[in-house]
Amino acid sequence: MSSNAVVPSLDEVQVEHREAISLLRLCRPRKRNAINDGLMAAIGQRMTDLPATTRAVVLHGEGDHFCAGLDLSELKDRDAVDGMHHSRSWHVILRDMEFGKVPIVAALHGAVVGGGLELATACHIRVADDTTFFALPEGSRGIFVGGGGSVRVPKLIGAHRMLDMMLTGRVYKASEGVTIGMAQYHVPAGGALAKAIELAERIAQNAPMTNYALMHGLPRIAEQTADHGLFTESMLAAISQSAPEAKARVRAFLDGTGPKVKAD
Ligand code: 1HE
């Protein structure tokens, strides 16, 4: 029986495990890490294959750019039905990243455009170095976002900023992008990966239940009514604090052995 299943291009998404964190590197620099079906399937496969020891992931790109978006050469022959299936296939993989097992920190540099921005916004933390620029060139290519951008990007920067980006081709440089909420961190050129690793290692020290509750709870609570949101919050609070790990961490603070909050 023949199958239409995409073969993941695993060599284009390299993985490195470092104790509690895993690094995924987009490795298609010749094409500026443009995402074809094989590369997207490989991202999905790598996320599925993370070892149980991984508590946070860093996603970064090889070469001068994080990601040039959809591989436009694949678009030539796609009809409406194929386009629908293609978009839905991105939705599944990016949803599984956003609502996966562990937080993902994206280390951004160079182009973070089109589907590259959609990929970055499926991550939980974005670190942009000074070379980073954000754009949604779909408008000028006669197409539309298809990887969840219309849902995730407005949550970060507002629908009208996204509208402006797509209608006018506006490009946000790193500092401006960070100011409007595209990324949470802005670092000097070449510094995104080191900062992302530092943050992932910090995230990996949290209780896994708390990380999970944050990743899964906060976006859902944001879409609930206030009354439902408060109820969900109470459930997550109750479940988190009843875990043995939470008890041990609170006890450690009360014993004087747990970390204090520092302002630096
Ligand atoms: C590509 C792609 C691509 C580069 N698909 N091949 N995304 C875009 O509209 C962005 C298109 N790319 C660019 O604007 C530029 O390539 C960059 C600003 C990202 C980088 O510029 P530069 O000068 O470093 O590289 P380059 O010379 O433009 O590209 C190098 C090669 O990569 C070249 O191929 P070559 O065979 O001539 O060497 C380019 O054709 C190729 N390349 N980007 C295919 N995107 C789920 S829906 C999402 C919808 C979208 O993402 S639309 C936005 C698509």
Side-chain angles (χ1 to χ4, degrees):
M1 204 170 77
S2 70
S3 159
N4 292 327
V6 176
V7 178
S9 312
L10 291 176
D11 57 328
E12 290 180 344
V13 183
Q14 306 268 330
V15 64
E16 182 190 341
H17 302 298
R18 294 189 189 175
E19 298 185 358
I21 72 167
S22 295
L23 279 63
L24 300 192
R25 186 168 72 253
L26 307 178
C27 290
R28 206 177 172 229
R30 276 183 310 103
K31 296 289 179 184
R32 308 317 187 235
N33 297 322
I35 304 174
N36 58 15
D37 286 350
L39 192 141
M40 184 49 90
I43 293 171
Q45 187 71 55
R46 292 300 192 195
M47 289 301 300
T48 304
D49 291 346
L50 290 175
T53 48
T54 296
R55 290 192 169 193
V57 168
V58 171
L59 177 68
H60 64 120
E62 194 169 303
D64 292 338
H65 301 280
F66 172 71
C67 178
L70 173 71
D71 186 322
L72 292 165
S73 67
E74 286 195 343
L75 207 59
K76 298 193 299 269
D77 308 318
R78 208 174 270 150
D79 64 15
V81 174
D82 289 342
M84 187 76 194
H85 291 315
H86 176 267
S87 169
R88 298 300 285 164
S89 73
W90 278 48
H91 289 172
V92 169
I93 291 170
L94 298 189
R95 178 205 61 206
D96 287 351
M97 291 172 65
E98 182 179 7
F99 294 111
K101 289 186 179 161
V102 295
I104 307 171
V105 184
L108 308 178
H109 72 294
V112 182
V113 303
L117 180 57
E118 294 184 298
L119 175 64
T121 55
C123 301
H124 304 91
I125 308 266
R126 283 160 295 282
V127 180
D129 90 355
D130 206 43
T131 68
T132 306
F133 55 97
F134 303 95
L136 289 168
E138 285 88 341
S140 66
R141 311 259 183 247
I143 55 177
F144 197 73
V145 283
S150 61
V151 170
R152 294 193 182 94
V153 175
K155 285 184 180 155
L156 296 180
I157 65 170
H160 282 251
R161 283 205 183 94
M162 177 169 174
L163 194 56
D164 178 27
M165 290 174 80
M166 294 195 69
L167 286 175
T168 69
R170 181 171 184 166
V171 176
Y172 281 101
K173 292 190 179 135
S175 59
E176 216 185 355
V178 172
T179 302
I180 65 168
M182 290 282 200
Q184 295 96 325
Y185 294 87
H186 181 199
V187 296
L193 181 58
K195 182 67 181 176
I197 290 171
E198 176 196 321
L199 294 169
E201 285 174 341
R202 172 70 188 76
I203 291 166
Q205 291 168 27
N206 294 339
M209 182 60 213
T210 302
N211 284 347
Y212 192 84
L214 288 167
M215 295 166 57
H216 287 260
L218 288 182
R220 290 185 167 98
I221 289 169
E223 289 179 2
Q224 292 176 345
T225 61
D227 182 49
H228 290 191
L230 292 173
F231 184 74
T232 308
E233 177 187 277
S234 296
M235 283 205 297
L236 292 174
I239 294 166
S240 307
Q241 69 194 226
S242 64
E245 184 157 355
K247 301 278 178 228
R249 285 169 183 248
V250 172
R251 215 167 27 244
F253 174 74
L254 296 174
D255 291 348
T257 55
K260 287 190 191 185
V261 178
K262 293 194 192 118
D264 58 1

